[in-house]
Amino acid sequence: MTHGDRTRHDRGAGAVEQDVIAARTDAYFNRTRAIVEHFGDRKVTYAIFLRRPVVSAPRLMVDWLHAVAAERGIGIECDVMFPEGTWVGAGEPLAYVTGSFAQLAVLETLVLQRLGPACVAAHNAYQMAMALPHVRFMAMEARHCAGFGMQEQMAYAASVGSHAAQKEGALGFIGSANDATAHYFGTKKGLGTMPHALVGYAGSTLRAAEMFHEVYPDMDLVVLVDYFGSEVTDALEVCRHFPDLAATGRLAVRLDTHGGRFLEGLDPQSSYDVLERHTPGSIRRYRSDKELRYLVGTGVSAAAIWRMREALDEAGFAHVRIIASSGFSVEKCLSMADAHAPVDVIGTGSFIPDRWSETYATADIVAYDDVPRVKAGREFLLRHMRNR
């Protein structure tokens, strides 16, 4: 196998060759296969489930199983119990997989890898989109992932959670940050703004905007304004330099202020004052420390977004959009919703699960040659199997 072939087989449904699977599965499954082949193969059915509520995102797992079956010329039945994008309760089997024990034993580890994380990330993406139904999201998972396999899984999951939220009226995720995963969102190209590195290269926020617009004159201009710590000043300077773009809604400012400082002109008291002016009820109820930080703390807080909107409107730039990024998890989105933060687009990779232990899927055999049998404590899986 050449390097190019190996790379291709490492991706998604491509890692189907028997020696690759044997090397990546747990050793005791390889030994189980040898024992079963020695004493006689049997037909088995696996139930696959998670211990927490999730959104069903089984496509990568199912595609991979079908690819393995085609590669080996064997029959594998995969009965998905919850259609993609539907809610699944804790302990509910997402799928039953039936086939040869000798063939399926070595697939269990790799099957679970392709299901659990995607389902939890899809649940997170759904919650984020539903918390802010009038906000568009951009998936920025790539830089937080351990390789392309994880990146693809997380982008797929965001699209599944987003589609579920869109069915309920949310705008959801409109694309990803790179070309390779754009197809999950129905687009061909990745989305994104300028990086901090370009602003540093240009020497000023305005100059970076000029450079970007000169090279990409037909694209909307989205300017990153936190590099010099002068978010409001630099945003207004760019708006005044590009009045036509500002007036026609083709100009946006992106807030990515890091958590070590406040947005230009804000401090704790002035942050409270901003919210008092625009959404007073959001800071009058009891808050956890984390919620308060999202509302009036450092970084891209609700107060920071309101202050930027206030400054733009006062200067006559009501059509300039605000894009926000930096740690927009489910919890932060809920806080933004409570503060009615006037944000138009959020770029985030924070749908990636915080606690990886929550992503662990489990597979148990529940029938041998169609005779129900499962380990003690998992009898509930038999009930669901009968309801297939």
Side-chain angles (χ1 to χ4, degrees), residues 35-85:
I35 293 168
V36 170
E37 288 177 333
H38 179 80
F39 287 98
D41 199 5
R42 300 179 71 176
K43 174 185 175 183
V44 296
T45 297
Y46 285 83
I48 306 175
F49 65 97
L50 277 86
R51 295 176 177 84
R52 54 151 288 168
V54 295
V55 167
S56 178
R59 193 194 322 167
L60 298 183
M61 178 197 74
V62 173
D63 287 351
W64 185 77
L65 279 173
H66 288 164
V68 171
E71 171 80 9
R72 298 186 178 182
I74 60 175
I76 298 177
E77 299 175 24
C78 188
D79 190 0
V80 175
M81 302 300 291
F82 294 87
E84 184 178 79

Side-chain angles (χ1 to χ4, degrees), residues 60-308:
L60 298 183
M61 178 197 74
V62 173
D63 287 351
W64 185 77
L65 279 173
H66 288 164
V68 171
E71 171 80 9
R72 298 186 178 182
I74 60 175
I76 298 177
E77 299 175 24
C78 188
D79 190 0
V80 175
M81 302 300 291
F82 294 87
E84 184 178 79
T86 57
W87 186 86
V88 185
E92 297 275 359
L94 283 99
Y96 289 92
V97 177
T98 302
S100 154
F101 189 15
Q103 294 288 343
L104 291 180
V106 296
L107 305 183
E108 179 177 329
T109 298
L110 281 72
V111 162
L112 300 182
Q113 289 175 350
R114 286 164 170 78
L115 183 67
C119 291
V120 177
H123 190 264
N124 289 343
Y126 168 80
Q127 288 184 295
M128 293 161 68
M130 291 303 296
L132 294 167
H134 304 300
V135 174
R136 291 175 172 82
F137 287 81
M138 181 176 68
M140 299 178 68
E141 77 294 326
R143 63 193 299 127
H144 305 297
C145 290
F148 183 73
M150 180 181 176
Q151 175 189 340
E152 183 177 41
Q153 191 177 67
M154 292 298 101
Y156 159 67
S159 73
V160 171
S162 176
H163 291 154
Q166 287 166 349
K167 290 179 180 179
E168 299 184 41
L171 295 176
F173 285 73
I174 59 173
S176 68
N178 54 75
D179 296 352
T181 56
H183 64 95
Y184 286 117
F185 303 90
T187 60
K188 294 182 179 180
K189 294 291 184 179
L191 306 175
T193 64
M194 62 181 65
H196 290 97
L198 180 62
V199 182
Y201 167 78
S204 76
T205 303
L206 176 59
R207 183 56 186 148
E210 291 174 329
M211 290 177 171
F212 189 98
H213 187 61
E214 181 175 335
V215 177
Y216 297 102
D218 296 327
M219 290 183 63
D220 287 356
L221 178 58
V222 181
V223 185
L224 191 59
V225 295
D226 66 279
Y227 188 94
F228 297 100
S230 304
E231 292 89 347
V232 174
T233 299
D234 286 358
L236 294 179
E237 183 180 27
V238 171
C239 290
R240 294 183 180 113
H241 190 80
F242 295 98
D244 292 340
L245 294 180
T248 55
R250 292 191 54 212
L251 178 61
V253 296
R254 176 184 163 202
L255 300 180
D256 194 50
T257 306
H258 68 77
R261 65 175 185 82
F262 284 91
L263 180 111
E264 178 190 12
L266 291 184
D267 56 26
Q269 184 55 54
S270 59
S271 295
Y272 275 97
D273 293 341
V274 169
L275 292 191
E276 276 292 327
R277 289 196 294 273
H278 298 284
T279 177
S282 62
I283 56 174
R284 292 180 181 174
R285 293 182 295 276
Y286 172 77
R287 297 284 173 186
S288 68
D289 290 342
K290 182 181 288 187
E291 288 173 314
L292 279 175
R293 186 167 66 253
Y294 293 151
L295 291 173
V296 295
T298 55
V300 185
S301 65
I305 296 171
W306 269 114
R307 175 62 193 126
M308 180 58 71

